[in-house]
Amino acid sequence: MTEMEMEMGGSNPLLPQDIIANILIRLPVKSLIRFQCVCKFWKNLFKTPSFIAEHLHYSSHQNPCILFEDYGKSDHFRLYSLDGEMQILEVSCNLWTFGSCNGVLCMGFFVSSLSLLVWNAATREMRRLPRSISYFEDAKFYIGFGFSPIADDYKIVKINAEENDGRVNEVKVYSLSIGSWKDVQFGNLDGVGLTSNGFCFNGAIFWIGYKIGLEEDEDEVGWIVSFDIAMEVFALIPMPSSLFSITNTPYPRYLTAHENKLALLCHNLSGDFKSSLIHLWVMEEGTCGSRERWVWTKKYTSGPYLGYLLVPVAIWRNEIVCVVASSLSEPIDKIQDDEQKPVLLNITTNEFKVSDIRKSVLGHGIFNYSESLVRVWQHPH
């Protein structure tokens, strides 16, 4: 250790400690891990909640990435990250990703049953979760993962549903700070099924839902199921009332965030199935004087894309991440997985560029991600 390094961490540093910290929060996690050996001050600094939060804030605004799961042509699948400079890095393989929040991934793998774990891909810290008390081997299940700044806790939500009609029959929640599973009431989900794993935003987890007993294209409203992570309560939010009259199709909708608000992406095809459009709605909570608690505003509609089926699944920076089926010459149900290519559609210019990532299963395994120092082993409260 040089004299300068000792002074930086000592009682008489060359630079004030707040300036040193302000420099360090701008570095990638890999560098910070190496720099733990510079001095005791730095090693302790990197573990403080304030530094972890500041580093995450900088990383999420300056260096956001997007993660893609690639199932390839074998039984194995891999997870890749794409950064702002369009550089591709393999993050992991043979693990199924359910969610991403603050640089931590909720992942799983199957042997005889599902095993869940949380993993910080940058620090490589991993925590395997115990199995919940009860387990439905043949049931449908939906996973949600997120963080609540109010509770200061990360939680995993596992929703079990009946195989035949999708009716919810059990909800379990795992708290990282407590380290155990517990049952959660779900009475207000009666008659509502789910079609997706959860999307975390602003202290809540959201799923796309539907009314059980109706086909998806027969549901005149459509629903979003929300779960408040701190309060551990569910609520139902109606989708935009004009969504179904515009799209006029049962195609999937995807939850994302735009301008720091919950958003909804969908697409539709022309009557002759030769061009496609993309639509973006943003949700705002109604004011006290408003008749409706939730107000949707349509923010964007793309130009028609002749010959392409563009399926929007997420927003990254100012771009809509789409999975593209390269041809509309065949019926939609005939499109093959290996024809799907992830592309980025610029909301401002309406231009899109194709990623070098080989492909992604339609609408699944695409996550926003930022490097962080967030610990997956939290001390119990």
Side-chain angles (χ1 to χ4, degrees):
M1 182 183 301
T2 67
E3 181 179 351
M4 178 179 293
E5 289 172 333
M6 294 180 65
E7 290 184 4
M8 289 180 71
S11 58
N12 297 305
L14 293 175
L15 293 173
Q17 292 182 359
D18 58 340
I19 293 180
I20 294 174
N22 193 39
I23 295 171
L24 293 172
I25 64 170
R26 302 167 188 272
L27 300 180
V29 170
K30 184 176 181 180
S31 297
L32 296 178
I33 292 175
R34 289 173 51 214
F35 293 164
Q36 289 184 102
C37 63
V38 169
C39 60
K40 187 175 181 180
F41 169 68
W42 283 16
K43 182 177 181 179
N44 293 332
L45 175 66
F46 301 159
K47 297 177 181 179
T48 60
S50 60
F51 184 88
I52 292 173
E54 290 174 9
H55 180 270
L56 173 62
H57 182 268
Y58 182 86
S59 176
S60 60
H61 285 79
Q62 301 298 322
N63 303 303
C65 297
I66 192 80
L67 298 179
F68 293 87
E69 276 184 340
D70 177 16
Y71 289 80
K73 294 181 180 296
S74 67
D75 293 334
H76 301 291
F77 52 91
R78 291 175 170 81
L79 186 66
Y80 294 92
S81 70
L82 181 71
D83 64 20
E85 297 179 353
M86 302 300 288
Q87 299 297 310
I88 299 171
L89 176 67
E90 183 173 339
V91 178
S92 72
C93 62
N94 298 332
L95 289 174
W96 188 0
T97 306
F98 292 107
S100 171
C101 181
N102 294 345
V104 178
L105 305 178
C106 177
M107 312 186 82
F109 60 93
F110 294 87
V111 182
S112 59
S113 61
L114 172 68
S115 293
L116 293 173
L117 57 90
V118 288
W119 183 51
N120 185 315
T123 65
R124 320 301 286 186
E125 186 181 36
M126 182 181 294
R127 176 175 177 177
R128 186 169 175 178
L129 276 59
R131 285 179 56 171
S132 56
I133 297 173
S134 61
Y135 188 84
F136 292 83
E137 295 289 350
D138 299 323
K140 295 180 179 179
F141 66 88
Y142 304 90
I143 303 294
F145 171 63
F147 173 74
S148 167
I150 295 176
D152 189 25
D153 195 5
Y154 290 82
K155 295 182 182 180
I156 296 94
V157 181
K158 185 171 183 288
I159 301 175
N160 290 311
E162 299 288 347
E163 185 68 31
N164 56 349
D165 64 1
R167 191 175 302 275
V168 175
N169 55 28
E170 182 185 56
V171 176
K172 295 278 189 179
V173 174
Y174 183 88
S175 161
L176 261 65
S177 64
I178 297 175
S180 62
W181 291 95
K182 72 174 182 179
D183 292 300
V184 170
Q185 297 298 315
F186 55 92
N188 49 355
L189 297 188
D190 186 38
V192 176
L194 304 179
T195 64
S196 67
N197 285 314
F199 172 75
C200 178
F201 175 73
N202 198 26
I205 302 172
F206 302 89
W207 295 262
I208 297 291
Y210 66 95
K211 290 287 187 180
I212 293 175
L214 293 176
E215 295 294 332
E216 226 183 318
D217 55 344
E218 293 178 342
D219 193 336
E220 296 180 355
V221 179
W223 299 93
I224 294 171
V225 175
S226 73
F227 178 78
D228 186 299
I229 298 173
M231 301 298 294
E232 297 185 343
V233 294
F234 286 95
L236 296 178
I237 302 170
M239 290 187 185
S241 58
S242 59
L243 186 151
F244 293 89
S245 62
I246 292 175
T247 60
N248 196 30
T249 66
Y251 295 133
R253 280 82 63 188
Y254 296 96
L255 293 164
T256 185
H258 179 61
E259 297 179 343
N260 202 33
K261 297 174 183 177
L262 184 69
L264 184 67
L265 289 165
C266 70
H267 70 286
N268 72 296
L269 296 177
S270 60
D272 57 7
F273 291 91
K274 293 183 178 179
S275 62
S276 62
L277 292 170
I278 290 174
H279 308 278
L280 168 66
W281 276 268
V282 171
M283 188 184 71
E284 301 183 52
E285 288 197 39
T287 61
C288 293
S290 163
R291 285 188 174 185
E292 297 182 2
R293 181 181 177 187
W294 309 106
V295 178
W296 290 95
T297 302
K298 191 176 181 184
K299 288 287 188 178
Y300 172 82
T301 296
S302 71
Y305 291 96
L306 297 174
Y308 291 93
L309 169 63
L310 285 82
V311 182
V313 296
I315 291 181
W316 177 50
R317 304 184 304 180
N318 194 42
E319 296 172 310
I320 298 177
V321 182
C322 303
V323 176
V324 174
S326 58
S327 174
L328 286 176
S329 60
E330 298 289 338
I332 295 174
D333 60 357
K334 299 297 184 182
I335 292 174
Q336 302 298 314
D337 278 349
D338 57 7
E339 292 179 288
Q340 299 166 7
K341 302 175 182 178
V343 301
L344 305 175
L345 169 62
N346 190 292
I347 297 176
T348 303
T349 66
N350 241 12
E351 299 175 337
F352 68 86
K353 52 192 174 185
V354 180
S355 165
D356 289 333
I357 295 176
R358 291 182 298 165
K359 75 178 190 66
S360 178
V361 171
L362 184 62
H364 296 281
I366 298 178
F367 309 92
N368 281 274
Y369 169 78
S370 299
E371 277 196 351
S372 79
L373 292 165
V374 170
R375 307 294 302 274
V376 301
W377 286 98
Q378 300 187 60
H379 294 293
H381 290 161

